[in-house]
Amino acid sequence: MPLHDPRTAELAKRLGAVRQRIATVVAGSQPRASAGSPTTEPTLIVVTKFHPGADVVRLRELGVVDVGENRDQEAAAKALEVADPGLRWHFVGQLQSNKAKSVAAYAHSVHSIDRGSVAAALGKAMVRQQLLDGRADLECFIQVELTGPYGALVAGGQSPTAGPGGRGGAAPSYVLELADSIAGTPGLVLAGVMGVAPLGATPEPAFQLLAEVSARLRSAHPGATGISAGMSHDLEAALAAGATHLRVGSDILGPRPAVL
Ligand SMILES: *Cc1c(COP(=O)(O)O)cnc(C)c1O
């Protein structure tokens, strides 16, 4: 794909603008860093769902290493088509246990684990995959429910119920139990937490809650430092709340095509 291809030029421009937004926030937090809390560069995951494999190839030429997808069928086909061992595929969508085997064949990480059954299925699939190709353990983020009754629990309070949450992830009070089971599963490595801020509300309280859940998780699992948060419209707020992994789609790829 030549760099003067018009689509590549468009992606370069949009990617550059997003990288600039990230750099602006990171630069703004430098005084804190020099005072002793080192800021590391966040990982930008470019979410390529609904966009063709050719765009992934273009992004790779522009230096992108981390790409995200939210549906297994599309992700598996694209990973096979692009077949670039230098890419890391991040699975960010809702996941059923019966897709674990497929996801394990291409994914570097899964950001949407909210139940023990999914973690167990991924572990089983990864162990089998590792026998085949010796790949590294799958990085696992626990998706945390940040809406509904939990959205109000910003001051470190206890959630009313323990157990898997609704569509949007695990209840905050269930995170430690789920973390223990991921950490104890061969083939998986506990990377941290993930969250999606609720639509139509300011994202700050949700990201604050996620940061508090992350702090509690790290006191039990010091290595689980990842905070996957921030999309096109709220990446600045996520970075301000300590995001280590951003998942940006439409501001880089453009509007998603209506039909596949
Ligand atoms: C699509 C998607 C994104 C990217 O969203 P944009 O608004 O297009 O940046 C991030 N996270 C998840 C879980 C997604 O499904």
Side-chain angles (χ1 to χ4, degrees):
M1 211 80 61
L3 283 170
H4 52 75
D5 154 66
R7 177 62 172 159
T8 304
E10 182 195 344
L11 291 174
K13 192 166 153 227
R14 288 171 164 275
L15 178 65
V18 167
R19 284 181 173 152
Q20 187 55 54
R21 284 166 63 192
I22 296 167
T24 300
V25 180
V26 170
S29 62
Q30 280 313 307
R32 234 181 17 150
S34 53
S37 76
T39 46
T40 39
E41 203 64 27
T43 300
L44 172 61
I45 298 166
V46 182
V47 180
T48 50
K49 65 190 184 197
F50 299 118
H51 291 278
D55 277 353
V56 177
V57 174
R58 292 180 172 102
L59 288 163
R60 184 79 180 99
E61 288 182 355
L62 297 171
V64 169
V65 170
D66 295 280
V67 291
E69 289 284 334
N70 74 334
R71 294 189 310 170
D72 171 59
Q73 203 181 356
E74 181 180 348
K78 233 178 269 181
L80 201 64
E81 177 195 344
V82 175
D84 184 336
L87 280 171
R88 296 192 293 216
W89 295 86
H90 299 258
F91 191 84
V92 303
Q94 293 237 310
L95 185 57
Q96 308 293 328
S97 296
N98 63 0
K99 303 286 190 199
K101 190 169 169 225
S102 173
V103 169
Y106 59 82
H108 165 81
S109 79
V110 172
H111 289 237
S112 44
I113 298 177
D114 62 358
R115 309 191 277 290
S117 57
V118 168
L122 283 169
K124 206 172 138 197
M126 279 303 299
V127 167
R128 205 162 13 191
Q129 190 68 38
Q130 288 174 325
L131 288 174
L132 289 175
D133 61 14
R135 72 174 52 205
D137 288 349
L138 182 69
E139 294 198 4
C140 294
F141 292 80
I142 296 175
Q143 183 171 355
V144 182
E145 166 75 71
L146 299 177
T147 58
Y150 312 115
L153 296 174
V154 171
Q158 289 297 312
S159 303
T161 55
R167 297 175 50 83
S173 56
Y174 173 61
V175 167
L176 284 182
E177 182 186 331
L178 182 53
D180 288 345
S181 81
I182 291 171
T185 302
L188 308 184
V189 60
L190 181 65
V193 291
M194 178 273 214
V196 178
L199 273 178
T202 95
E204 284 82 3
F207 290 147
Q208 183 58 35
L209 173 60
L210 188 64
E212 289 172 15
V213 173
S214 168
R216 271 188 260 171
L217 174 65
R218 278 177 280 132
S219 64
H221 295 274
T225 55
I227 301 179
S228 168
M231 304 163 49
S232 291
H233 63 287
D234 59 15
L235 70 86
E236 284 86 358
L239 284 171
T244 61
H245 293 69
L246 304 167
R247 309 177 311 272
V248 179
S250 46
D251 276 3
I252 295 171
L253 277 299
R256 293 186 257 282
V259 190
L260 267 187

